[in-house]
Amino acid sequence: MSKDTEVDMKDVELNDMDQEKQPMTGGAANGDAGSPTGTEKNGSVKVKIPEETQTKFTGLSKEELLTVAGTPGWVRTRWALLILFWLGWLGMLAGAVAIIVQAPRCKDIPAMNWWNYGPLYQIGNVQAFSESQNLKGVEDKIDRLSQLKVKGLVIGPIHVAPLDNLVSLNFEEISSDAGNLEQFKGLITAAHKKSIKVILDLTPNYLGRGPWFANVNVTNVAERLKVRICSVSSQILIGVTEKPSAVEVSELLNSTGVDLLLSGALRSKSMTATDRAQTVQQLLSSHNQTQLAWNIGDRKEGHLATLVGTDMVNFNQMLLLTLPGTPVFNYGDEIALADADTKSPKMLWDSLEDEETNGTAKEEKEQRVSCRSFFKTLSELRGKERSLQHGDYIPLFNSTSALAYLRQWDQSGRYVAAFNWGSDAVTLQLAHPDLPAQAVVQVSTDEVNLAPDRTVALSELVLGAGQAVLLQFPYMA
């Protein structure tokens, strides 16, 4: 081997190799006779084989790199890459600006009051509402009410007002039947921790024959009331009228200056779906939705289940919670509590962990829990979805028995609410430029035919008798 190509060699004896690879010699057949000394092993030969070596890579030195980097070719390459980088960066910047400029602008959120963000909850009779039968009992239930996304409690009246006795009327003193001042303060503190406002019903003569005392100048009572509430922050003035006409309700809203007006506008059992649609449309055409309150029951008229029937409670919960305005409920409306011989039935508090020994009682409890869950789901949707909270109201369909409308806001998800008051199933053929071909069921009173998450065709929406459904579809640019 030449000196230039010399590689390391090592001695290897053939007998170190596998036996099958060792060469055979004559001595192998004749014992040691063929061996000159008789002491070497048969076939033992020393040979040299090259060792495997690794080639070590050595890069260019610093001086060599500097020399190569300074050549014209590499200089031009570096400048080309730099220019391409900045051109790409400027292109992406221009594209981002173009997207921002061409993208549709979001609409400004309308001015809203705190009571427009969720339902108001009336507790007309503190004693009937809780086991403690006083304001402390209401405080103990704040967590349960917070789960329903309630934004305000309408409490009482709880002030001292002897029957038809204007002289003894005292708005500053809490009736002993309801509790005391310390309990009231505790309720306020607990409610505010859950972002719930407390509203006092200050009906002057709530135990008497007339709310404003008979044969008494109403102005005198109003002035006494005005002096007491003028320093209260976050005031809301809620009026109550028994008038069912949309025209009369509108006139009262304009003339009284109340923030909200509870009325019988949706209460009449003789109303058709067309009547309801016209009532809503008339009030919306004259007033901002932040001024409108929707209720069916109240402290005087009774609970929702009594007025519409237990089987239609969920139906009407959906109606009140999807109309544009503030929904107002009576205590117990979330569980279909019905009036018996009194307008103030005892509130029922159920727990899923409770075991009932009576089959009927267990079934009734499950129905109340299910009803409350339905209410909670709708209230949560209304609290987080802008289309339901302050979105536009667009009528889609109405007849004597059925009603459907669209709630939409800017680029938020849209909702279609549909109702069938009739005794027969109806097929609604909903069509509007803002509607897609299909929508997804969010909440339904008919979980057999309109189960949640099911996709339905809006051109052939089938609603069973006494059924309601809330559908959702995304914003489409």
Side-chain angles (χ1 to χ4, degrees):
M1 226 179 249
S2 68
K3 186 176 182 180
D4 293 337
T5 59
E6 184 178 354
V7 271
D8 295 334
M9 307 292 287
K10 65 178 180 179
D11 293 336
V12 177
E13 291 188 358
L14 287 180
N15 61 355
D16 291 338
M17 302 170 62
D18 294 338
Q19 295 297 322
E20 293 85 354
K21 297 179 182 179
Q22 293 185 13
M24 297 295 294
T25 66
N30 301 305
D32 296 333
S35 172
T37 63
T39 61
E40 293 184 358
K41 293 181 180 179
N42 182 36
S44 177
V45 180
K46 290 185 178 181
V47 298
K48 292 182 180 290
I49 62 173
E51 288 186 343
E52 296 179 358
T53 60
Q54 293 183 346
T55 303
K56 183 178 181 181
F57 175 78
T58 302
L60 296 176
S61 66
K62 179 178 179 181
E63 291 74 15
E64 290 172 329
L65 286 172
L66 291 174
T67 301
V68 173
T71 59
W74 278 107
V75 171
R76 287 193 295 269
T77 300
R78 288 199 305 273
W79 275 107
L81 292 174
L82 182 63
I83 292 171
L84 286 174
F85 169 79
W86 284 110
L87 287 176
W89 187 87
L90 291 173
M92 290 188 292
L93 178 62
V97 171
I99 291 174
I100 294 173
V101 171
Q102 295 178 6
R105 294 182 178 275
C106 295
K107 292 173 64 176
D108 293 332
I109 301 298
M112 297 176 64
N113 302 299
W114 63 262
W115 56 83
N116 301 132
Y117 287 96
L120 299 183
Y121 191 89
Q122 299 181 96
I123 305 176
N125 190 313
V126 172
Q127 295 94 321
F129 181 71
S130 71
E131 298 89 342
S132 301
Q133 299 184 5
N134 54 28
L135 292 170
K136 182 63 172 66
V138 180
E139 177 188 343
D140 294 339
K141 302 301 182 183
I142 287 295
D143 284 342
R144 297 287 294 268
L145 298 177
S146 178
Q147 293 171 6
L148 301 177
K149 305 305 178 184
V150 169
K151 292 302 178 184
L153 301 180
V154 184
I155 303 293
I158 59 173
H159 58 270
V160 172
L163 179 67
D164 297 321
N165 188 343
L166 176 59
V167 176
S168 300
L169 175 64
N170 188 350
F171 290 114
E172 296 182 345
E173 184 179 350
I174 295 175
S175 170
S176 58
D177 293 335
N180 55 53
L181 183 58
E182 291 304 315
Q183 291 179 357
F184 181 67
K185 290 179 178 180
L187 169 60
I188 296 292
T189 301
H192 285 183
K193 287 181 179 179
K194 295 294 184 178
S195 299
I196 298 175
K197 304 289 186 181
V198 177
I199 307 161
L200 286 178
D201 185 335
L202 296 176
T203 302
N205 191 31
Y206 62 93
L207 297 175
R209 289 170 293 177
W212 291 93
F213 299 100
N215 303 318
V216 174
N217 188 338
V218 173
T219 305
N220 295 335
V221 180
E223 285 300 320
R224 292 176 62 180
L225 180 59
K226 181 178 179 181
V227 171
R228 302 308 177 192
I229 67 172
C230 64
S231 61
V232 179
S233 61
S234 301
Q235 294 179 31
I236 174 175
L237 184 59
I238 302 176
V240 180
T241 179
E242 298 178 6
K243 296 180 179 180
S245 166
V247 174
E248 293 175 311
V249 171
S250 181
E251 291 176 349
L252 285 172
L253 280 170
N254 289 328
S255 62
T256 60
V258 295
D259 297 302
L260 293 175
L261 182 62
L262 305 185
S263 69
L266 297 178
R267 184 177 300 144
S268 175
K269 293 182 178 180
S270 63
M271 292 182 76
T272 65
T274 299
D275 295 333
R276 292 180 174 89
Q278 291 176 348
T279 295
V280 173
Q281 197 62 42
Q282 287 176 10
L283 290 173
L284 280 174
S285 64
S286 304
H287 305 277
N288 189 294
Q289 62 176 274
T290 59
Q291 297 177 276
L292 301 179
W294 304 108
N295 67 294
I296 295 177
D298 59 27
R299 178 172 61 85
K300 183 178 179 180
E301 296 298 325
H303 287 69
L304 187 61
T306 302
L307 298 172
V308 302
T310 303
D311 57 338
M312 291 292 284
V313 169
N314 287 156
F315 182 103
N316 283 275
Q317 287 174 348
M318 184 179 294
L319 177 67
L320 297 179
L321 284 163
T322 57
L323 283 173
T326 300
V328 184
F329 294 92
N330 224 346
Y331 77 90
D333 283 348
E334 73 273 23
I335 61 170
L337 184 68
D339 305 325
D341 299 327
T342 173
K343 299 295 184 182
S344 301
K346 184 72 175 177
M347 180 63 176
L348 301 174
W349 299 99
D350 297 302
S351 172
L352 289 173
E353 290 76 20
D354 294 339
E355 291 293 334
E356 299 286 353
T357 56
N358 184 291
T360 302
K362 183 176 181 179
E363 181 179 348
E364 291 175 349
K365 185 201 73 172
E366 290 174 347
Q367 290 175 350
R368 291 192 296 269
V369 171
S370 175
C371 187
R372 184 180 187 275
S373 177
F374 187 92
F375 181 99
K376 181 175 180 287
T377 299
L378 280 171
S379 189
E380 287 177 342
L381 273 176
R382 190 191 182 281
K384 69 181 182 180
E385 294 294 334
R386 291 181 175 178
S387 292
L388 294 175
Q389 199 171 83
H390 51 252
D392 300 326
Y393 170 88
I394 301 174
L396 297 175
F397 179 91
N398 73 80
S399 66
T400 56
S401 62
L403 170 66
Y405 49 82
L406 170 65
R407 298 296 310 279
Q408 65 177 22
W409 178 260
D410 198 27
Q411 301 175 44
S412 300
R414 281 89 191 281
Y415 288 85
V416 172
F419 306 85
N420 177 20
W421 279 270
S423 56
D424 298 315
V426 296
T427 300
L428 307 183
Q429 298 178 340
L430 304 181
H432 189 273
D434 293 334
L435 288 182
Q438 298 177 321
V440 178
V441 176
Q442 291 291 298
V443 188
S444 169
T445 59
D446 183 1
E447 294 194 354
V448 175
N449 300 305
L450 292 170
D453 299 326
R454 177 180 174 181
T455 300
V456 297
L458 294 179
S459 60
E460 296 181 353
L461 178 59
V462 180
L463 273 181
Q467 302 296 337
V469 64
L470 182 64
L471 308 168
Q472 192 270 346
F473 63 92
Y475 164 76
M476 298 175 293

